[in-house]
Amino acid sequence: IAGDNSLSSYTMSDINEMKSVGSSDQVHIVVLKDGSASGDTRVYYVEYNNLVSISLSSVYSGWGTEINTGDASNLVRFVTWAMSNYPAEHYFIDLWDHGDGAEGVCWDESSYDHISMTELRGAMQSIVQSNGNNPIDIVGFDACMMGQVEVAAQLYGYANYMVGSEQTEAGDGWNYEPIMNYLVSHPDIS
C-alpha cells in the first residue's frame, strides 16, 4: 500500500476491510503500508480484527522507519521476505496506489519516485527467481489505468493473471472484504 501521496487517508480503511476477515491457517495476509507522514511505514500481519505489527528491520535490516515505496527494490525485499516467512502454494501480489498505466505505479511523493514498468518487470523477475522460477499467480493493481496491454506485457512470464482497471478508480479503491472473504473461505481455489 503505497500511500505516501494524496491517497494516504484511504490506507487504513482498506486495511480495515482486510482485517474484517483476517488471515487463516491457510491464507496469510501481509501488508506493507506507507502513508504521507514521516516515519509511518509499517508491516502488518492481518488477523481478524487485529493487526500484528512486524518491525521493518526484520523485513530488511537496512530499513528505518520510512521507506520509499516507489523503489522497486523495496517491493522485491518485502515480497521475497513475505514469501519466505509465509510460504504458500499460490501468491497474489496487490500493488495499491496511484497508477498511470505504462508510466508506472506506486508513487511515493516524499521520495519523488515511482515504479516504472521497466522497474516492475525487473522486480517481478527477481521475485519469481526467489520463488523457484514459478510465476506469481495473480498480480493486481488497485490503482488507476493499469489494465493496459503495455502493463500486462511487463508481467508476461512472471504472473499467470493480472487484474487492473482500464479507467480511473475511486480513492478508496477495491473493497477488500469480499475478496479476502472468498479467499479465506475457499483456500483450495486454483
Side-chain angles (χ1 to χ4, degrees), residues 47-140:
E47 295 179 336
Y48 175 69
N49 284 335
N50 188 45
L51 296 175
V52 177
S53 228
I54 298 168
S55 73
L56 292 175
S57 62
S58 71
V59 175
Y60 176 67
S61 62
W63 283 353
T65 59
E66 181 70 22
I67 69 162
N68 175 3
T69 51
D71 181 341
S73 63
N74 287 329
L75 172 64
V76 173
R77 289 176 180 120
F78 173 69
V79 172
T80 56
W81 171 86
M83 292 168 70
S84 174
N85 286 274
Y86 303 97
E89 294 175 16
H90 301 284
Y91 294 100
F92 182 139
I93 298 172
D94 177 20
L95 300 172
W96 182 108
D97 187 32
H98 286 296
D100 196 10
E103 295 299 314
V105 69
C106 295
W107 303 85
D108 189 303
E109 291 180 3
S110 293
S111 301
Y112 304 102
D113 201 3
H114 70 283
I115 298 175
S116 71
M117 287 299 98
T118 304
E119 292 169 330
L120 179 63
R121 183 165 182 78
M124 290 303 300
Q125 181 180 23
S126 295
I127 290 166
V128 166
Q129 286 173 343
S130 75
N131 190 34
N133 290 318
N134 296 309
I136 300 302
D137 293 272
I138 301 170
V139 173

Side-chain angles (χ1 to χ4, degrees), residues 120-183:
L120 179 63
R121 183 165 182 78
M124 290 303 300
Q125 181 180 23
S126 295
I127 290 166
V128 166
Q129 286 173 343
S130 75
N131 190 34
N133 290 318
N134 296 309
I136 300 302
D137 293 272
I138 301 170
V139 173
F141 295 96
D142 188 357
C144 296
M145 300 183 293
M146 297 305 291
Q148 299 180 359
V149 70
E150 295 88 351
V151 175
Q154 299 307 310
L155 298 176
Y156 182 77
Y158 302 120
N160 293 328
Y161 297 95
M162 179 187 100
V163 179
S165 173
E166 297 175 61
Q167 301 294 321
T168 56
E169 293 186 5
D172 60 350
W174 295 353
N175 181 351
Y176 286 91
E177 186 174 354
I179 296 168
M180 297 302 155
N181 191 42
Y182 191 85
L183 291 174

